[in-house]
């Protein structure tokens, strides 16, 4: 046994990922980390496809099941079973680089570092939707913060000290969107730990971004909905978004972005721009609309004027 290195756990929630999960598992089994100091915990969250069957075909992977729906409920199940001193998280539609765990672990260069986020890049670009989400919007991704918003990391590519969960509790699994941000802020508020984000191209995870407009816009609205509740409960960590501001931005965007899109099309033959770059300004309008709708419906629910939405 390699006692010089700590025991690490990797946690992955799985829900109907039969087309993606094998590629992730193969990349995890190729990690540059001793196998006797590593456990991989996959939590099936009531999949209705062949995901569970595929997971069970990998004998070195621990397969858990969680009946309560929600990715953070599944992640919490993995945390409860984890034996590692550190727990890394990624998603079932990702692929990890060989040095992923090593580079995340090396960033814990002091006892005060409680959580480290790695680099997220697109696995592939197939159309204008995944190009925009992965290369322009860059969501999901970590944030270094700003003058008004505290920094945070996201669970698509992150490693925590197990002690964080022992001392500060598990993810808030009552919300499908934003518990990773809330946990980041809990870490900062503890006063005992800090968070770090790796340099670009360190601890790389390749993320599969959405290719269908319907899926993309659903996530925009879901995340805006979750962000409103998150900031309303933690107003000292980030300003609470107001629907009217998004609506004003939408009106301005409707006046400006179509002309920018037209100019982009005109110069495309000169710049030899790929076709997937051309609609990005029109997609910005979609972002503003769905951020407005998500924030507006969240505000109504938060004030008790309509029932809370069930998100997936």
């Amino acid at each position: 046994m390699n006692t010089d290195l700590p025991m690490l756990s990797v946690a992955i929630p799985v829900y109907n990922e039969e087309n993606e999960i094998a590629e992730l598992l193969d990349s995890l089994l190729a990690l540059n980390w001793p196998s006797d100091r590593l456990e991989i915990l996959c939590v099936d969250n009531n999949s209705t496809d062949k995901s569970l069957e595929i997971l069970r075909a990998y004998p070195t992977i621990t397969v858990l099941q969680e009946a309560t729906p929600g990715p953070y409920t599944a992640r919490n199940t993995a945390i409860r079973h984890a034996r590692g001193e550190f727990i890394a998280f990624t998603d079932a539609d990702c692929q990890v680089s060989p040095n992923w765990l090593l580079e995340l672990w090396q960033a814990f260069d002091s006892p005060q570092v409680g959580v480290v986020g790695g680099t997220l890049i697109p696995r592939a670009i197939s159309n204008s939707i995944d190009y925009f989400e992965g290369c322009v919007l860059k969501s999901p991704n970590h944030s270094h913060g700003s003058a008004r918003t505290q920094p945070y990391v996201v669970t698509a590519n992150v490693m925590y000290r197990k002690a964080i969960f022992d001392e500060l509790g598990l993810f808030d699994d009552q919300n499908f969107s934003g518990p990773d941000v809330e946990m980041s802020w809990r870490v900062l508020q503890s006063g005992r730990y800090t968070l770090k984000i790796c340099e670009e191209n360190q601890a790389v995870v390749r993320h599969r971004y959405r290719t269908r407009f319907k899926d993309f816009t659903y996530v925009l609205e879901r995340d805006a909905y979750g962000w409103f509740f998150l900031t309303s409960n933690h107003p000292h960590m980030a300003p609470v978004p107001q629907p009217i501001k998004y609506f004003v931005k939408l009106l301005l965007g409707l006046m400006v972005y179509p002309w920018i899109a037209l100019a982009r099309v005109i110069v495309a033959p000169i710049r030899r721009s790929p076709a997937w770059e051309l609609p990005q300004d029109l997609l910005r309008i979609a972002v503003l609309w769905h951020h407005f709708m998500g924030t507006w419906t969240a505000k109504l629910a938060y004030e008790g004027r309509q029932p809370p939405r069930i998100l997936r």
Side-chain angles (χ1 to χ4, degrees):
M1 181 176 288
N2 298 284
T3 56
D4 292 339
L5 295 174
M7 182 72 180
L8 302 184
S9 301
V10 178
I12 306 108
V14 180
Y15 176 72
N16 288 349
E17 296 287 354
E18 65 178 2
N19 295 324
E20 307 283 355
I21 189 63
E23 293 180 339
L24 169 64
L25 298 179
D26 290 341
S27 70
L28 290 171
L29 295 178
L31 281 166
N32 180 20
W33 194 267
S35 59
D36 61 359
R37 307 300 293 165
L38 173 65
E39 65 172 357
I40 300 170
L41 306 171
C42 290
V43 185
D44 181 73
N45 201 200
N46 283 335
S47 295
T48 56
D49 63 1
K50 295 182 179 179
S51 295
L52 187 56
E53 179 182 335
I54 295 170
L55 293 175
R56 288 173 171 164
Y58 287 77
T60 59
I61 289 169
T62 300
V63 180
L64 305 171
Q65 291 181 271
E66 173 53 61
T68 303
Y72 287 94
T73 304
R75 291 183 180 107
N76 285 341
T77 297
I79 293 168
R80 294 187 186 99
H81 287 80
R83 297 181 292 117
E85 181 181 346
F86 297 84
I87 306 176
F89 296 88
T90 190
D91 293 334
D93 58 355
C94 293
Q95 286 181 300
V96 302
S97 57
N99 288 328
W100 175 54
L101 287 183
L102 177 64
E103 291 171 348
L104 283 175
W105 174 71
Q106 287 175 335
F108 287 87
D109 52 8
S110 79
Q112 287 71 45
V113 178
V115 54
V116 173
T119 302
L120 281 163
I121 62 174
R123 280 176 61 176
I125 300 298
S126 58
N127 64 18
S128 58
I129 305 299
D130 58 4
Y131 168 76
F132 182 78
E133 187 178 28
C135 300
V136 180
L137 197 59
K138 295 184 178 179
S139 177
N141 214 333
H142 314 298
S143 171
H144 290 278
S146 65
R148 302 182 65 194
T149 302
Q150 296 298 307
Y152 58 82
V153 291
V154 297
T155 44
N157 182 0
V158 70
M159 181 182 285
Y160 284 85
R161 291 186 187 274
K162 176 67 157 53
I164 291 288
F165 302 106
D166 295 335
E167 296 175 26
L168 305 181
L170 303 178
F171 289 112
D172 175 12
D173 57 14
Q174 298 305 301
N175 193 338
F176 279 78
S177 177
D180 45 5
V181 179
E182 192 273 340
M183 178 59 77
S184 300
W185 291 349
R186 219 187 303 169
V187 168
L188 295 176
Q189 288 179 294
S190 73
R192 300 193 296 276
Y193 297 104
T194 61
L195 63 80
K196 288 179 64 175
I197 299 173
C198 291
E199 297 293 329
E200 188 175 359
N201 295 323
Q202 290 289 304
V204 173
V205 165
R206 291 173 172 80
H207 189 279
R208 178 80 73 185
Y209 290 89
R210 293 158 189 85
T211 57
R212 297 196 309 172
F213 184 74
K214 180 180 179 181
D215 297 336
F216 170 62
T217 55
Y218 172 78
V219 170
L220 289 174
E221 197 162 319
R222 181 200 69 185
D223 289 351
Y225 188 95
W227 184 259
F228 183 90
F229 275 87
L230 181 65
T231 53
S232 295
N233 293 328
H234 300 274
H236 53 295
M237 304 301 282
V240 180
Q242 297 303 317
I244 187 62
K245 291 185 178 181
Y246 281 121
F247 189 70
V248 171
K249 288 181 179 180
L250 173 64
L251 294 179
L252 293 174
L254 287 170
M255 291 187 290
V256 173
Y257 286 137
W259 296 105
I260 298 176
L262 178 60
R264 198 181 296 277
V265 170
I266 291 171
V267 302
I270 302 172
R271 298 181 59 189
R272 298 182 180 178
S273 303
W276 55 69
E277 288 187 4
L278 303 183
Q280 62 180 281
D281 303 292
L282 300 179
L283 288 173
R284 292 182 190 276
I285 297 175
V287 171
L288 293 172
W289 169 252
H290 288 282
H291 279 176
F292 163 69
M293 288 300 300
T295 303
W296 173 248
T297 55
K299 182 178 175 66
L300 293 177
Y302 191 80
E303 295 174 351
R305 290 190 280 166
Q306 70 176 33
R309 292 171 57 184
I310 298 175
L311 305 174
R312 176 81 212 188

